């Protein structure tokens, strides 16, 4: 299916016990597209990513990857690079940046096999793709938070994915670092011809850099270009607990409520 979207989520509904997490959500991601996914805490953003990587099965609806059911797509060699929100990684382990990235290759070659020269080249290329080649011999316990972020993204790229899913990778970074990070993602999108879904709480940065935005709070309330996002859409998603500034829109959303 050459014209199929990379990701095609259709009418996905998911419950956790009696609690509705996703309500008839439909979303598409196409090649060479950066999609920003926003919504309040507990809105279903992470759950949707976990459905896409086949970690959670929906109660109804479908999620196709490259026009195929997820398991079939993975079996055919379709790869997704995934950086979860909770990154359980012990930086006291004496691993270099290059060794950390190389770990991603064991999913391709098998745990009992030694990485080949090609595997090492892929790992180094992935580090260089995120401007982290200079870190290759540095221990991960000695790098900054921003540098560790690049190492982990390089590890996600080392599987040679067609899709990159990033769950709040910019959490805790300042505005300048976040802007540089978005520039980096745009370059990865263009140079590697991949689709990217980025979960973020920084609506201002997302609206300036993403090709499309999806706004979710159990339901999908908006899925279009950032320029079409309006104040009413934000209110639907965040309700009365809204104290946000959308940088490139004509209206500022700075509602405060008791």
């Amino acid at each position: 299916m050459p014209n199929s979207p990379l990701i095609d989520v259709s009418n996905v509904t998911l419950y956790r016990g009696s609690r509705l997490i996703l309500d008839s959500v439909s979303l598409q991601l196409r090649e060479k597209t950066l999609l920003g996914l926003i919504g309040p805490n507990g809105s279903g953003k992470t759950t949707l990513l976990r459905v896409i990587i086949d970690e959670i099965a929906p109660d109804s609806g479908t999620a196709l990857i490259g026009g195929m059911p997820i398991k079939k797509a993975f079996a055919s060699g379709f790869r997704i690079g995934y950086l979860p929100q909770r990154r359980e990684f012990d930086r006291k382990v004496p691993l270099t940046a290059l060794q950390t990235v190389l770990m991603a290759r064991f999913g391709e070659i098998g745990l009992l096999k030694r990485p080949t020269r090609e595997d090492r080249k892929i790992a180094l290329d992935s580090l260089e793709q995120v401007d982290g080649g200079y870190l290759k011999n540095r221990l991960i316990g000695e790098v900054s938070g921003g540098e560790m972020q690049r190492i982990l993204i390089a590890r996600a790229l080392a599987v040679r994915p067609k899709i990159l899913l990033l769950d709040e990778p910019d959490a805790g970074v300042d505005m300048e670092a976040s802007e540089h990070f978005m520039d980096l993602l745009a370059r990865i999108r263009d140079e590697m011809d991949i689709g990217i879904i980025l979960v973020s709480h920084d609506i201002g940065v997302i609206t300036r850099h993403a090709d499309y935005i999806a706004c979710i709070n159990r339901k999908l309330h908006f899925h279009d270009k950032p320029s079409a996002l309006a104040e009413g859409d934000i209110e639907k998603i965040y309700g009365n607990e809204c104290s946000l500034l959308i940088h490139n829109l004509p209206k500022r959303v700075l509602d405060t409520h008791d």
Side-chain angles (χ1 to χ4, degrees), residues 99-148:
Q99 289 170 330
T100 302
V101 176
L102 190 58
M103 289 170 61
R105 298 299 304 163
F106 285 100
E108 303 298 307
I109 65 177
L111 286 174
L112 301 180
K113 294 183 179 179
R114 294 178 63 85
T116 65
R117 181 178 297 179
E118 178 63 18
D119 291 314
R120 294 180 185 278
K121 181 180 184 303
I122 289 172
L124 182 57
D125 287 347
S126 298
L127 261 179
E128 291 176 344
Q129 193 74 42
V130 299
D131 297 332
Y134 70 97
L135 295 169
K136 64 180 181 180
N137 296 320
R138 293 263 300 276
L139 293 175
I140 58 173
E142 299 174 351
V143 303
S144 70
E147 288 171 334
M148 191 65 196

Side-chain angles (χ1 to χ4, degrees), residues 25 35 136 190:
V25 171
L35 172 68
K136 64 180 181 180
D190 294 339

